[in-house]
Amino acid sequence: GNSVTQMEGPVTLSEEAFLTINCTYTATGYPSLFWYVQYPGEGLQLLLKATKADDKGSNKGFEATYRKETTSFHLEKGSVQVSDSAVYFCALSDPLNAGGTSYGKLTFGQGTILTVHP
Amino acid sequence: DGGITQSPKYLFRKEGQNVTLSCEQNLNHDAMYWYRQDPGQGLRLIYYSQIVNDFQKGDIAEGYSVSREKKESFPLTVTSAQKNPTAFYLCASSIPLVNEQFFGPGTRLTVL
């Protein structure tokens, strides 16, 4: 079955440091890949996504590239801010198939807690 | 504003009682989902529904039940058969064939 593995956390950085959160996946076919962010006490918000190999998703200074050869989708940001402190989830979606049963069900990694200090 | 609402934000129940969590969306999405979040375990799918009056079990459906009588509503009942119900519950919705889910703010259930 599908699975997503994220780097162990928590991650603690100083403001303006470079961020990398590793994510690798196992899936059949060509899933779509996502990064979601969860701020304390809130639901998840979509941060960025990529739907095919070599696509780069980007948003709010965060980037991730869909690498099929290494089955990875690592999240990066060049200069983190205190406001980036949150839990980050990598996820994949079954390839959509109108005749099948996937309908975009998401499989999540375990989440990585990021804390940024001033 | 379009979005997903979950109520209440915090819920306390005694062991052995059934409890129903509300999820409403005005995004006109056909598909809706319920997830459970536990510390360090990510999100796990409980139930999902692709259209009204139809729903399927997810990975951890035991001890839970759902209904989908209206497009905008997908309530989740946590029954007394659920052995460890204390958790954060998240509802989501999406447009079928568009693989992006939108999440509600969640309900934190504590069973005493």
Side-chain angles (χ1 to χ4, degrees):
Chain A
N2 295 342
S3 67
V4 176
T5 302
Q6 291 182 231
M7 66 183 291
E8 293 289 330
V11 175
T12 302
L13 296 173
S14 297
E15 205 165 24
E16 299 185 0
F18 184 85
L19 169 70
T20 299
I21 301 178
N22 290 340
C23 172
T24 57
Y25 68 91
T26 302
T28 56
Y30 299 91
S32 294
L33 301 173
F34 305 83
W35 277 101
Y36 281 86
V37 59
Q38 183 180 35
Y39 298 101
E42 298 183 7
L44 274 67
Q45 302 174 25
L46 179 65
L47 182 59
L48 52 85
K49 69 176 184 180
T51 57
K52 60 182 187 296
D54 299 324
D55 267 2
K56 177 186 283 188
S58 62
N59 186 26
K60 299 181 182 179
F62 291 90
E63 294 183 341
T65 301
Y66 190 144
R67 302 287 188 198
K68 187 160 181 63
E69 64 275 14
T70 55
T71 61
S72 65
F73 193 54
H74 304 321
L75 182 68
E76 297 181 337
K77 187 175 185 182
S79 177
V80 294
Q81 306 299 313
V82 173
S83 58
D84 294 326
S85 299
V87 183
Y88 292 81
F89 291 94
C90 185
L92 69 81
S93 172
D94 290 344
L96 295 170
N97 179 358
T101 59
S102 66
Y103 275 80
K105 288 187 296 179
L106 293 176
T107 300
F108 287 88
Q110 73 272 31
T112 301
I113 300 172
L114 170 65
T115 302
V116 180
H117 293 297
Chain B
D1 288 338
I4 301 175
T5 57
Q6 293 185 242
S7 61
K9 190 169 179 64
Y10 299 96
L11 190 55
F12 297 88
R13 280 294 182 269
K14 292 182 179 180
E15 192 172 346
Q17 290 182 333
N18 292 355
V19 60
T20 297
L21 281 60
S22 168
C23 177
E24 304 279 331
Q25 55 99 358
N26 60 4
L27 300 167
N28 201 33
H29 288 172
D30 288 307
M32 297 186 74
Y33 310 80
W34 273 107
Y35 294 90
R36 171 183 172 134
Q37 184 178 15
D38 295 284
Q41 293 192 41
L43 277 69
R44 293 179 290 170
L45 182 65
I46 304 172
Y47 268 97
Y48 65 102
S49 168
Q50 298 163 2
I51 57 174
V52 174
N53 292 323
D54 184 58
F55 48 83
Q56 287 79 40
K57 294 181 179 180
D59 300 320
I60 56 165
E62 184 175 353
Y64 299 97
S65 65
V66 294
S67 62
R68 187 83 189 278
E69 298 177 0
K70 299 185 296 182
K71 185 176 184 178
E72 57 271 22
S73 179
F74 191 41
L76 173 75
T77 297
V78 184
T79 76
S80 56
Q82 168 51 232
K83 298 188 186 310
N84 186 18
T86 294
F88 191 50
Y89 291 88
L90 288 159
C91 180
S93 70
S94 70
I95 303 171
L97 305 184
V98 176
N99 52 6
E100 179 178 332
Q101 292 185 17
F102 296 83
F103 284 81
T107 292
R108 186 167 298 280
L109 172 65
T110 302
V111 176
L112 305 172

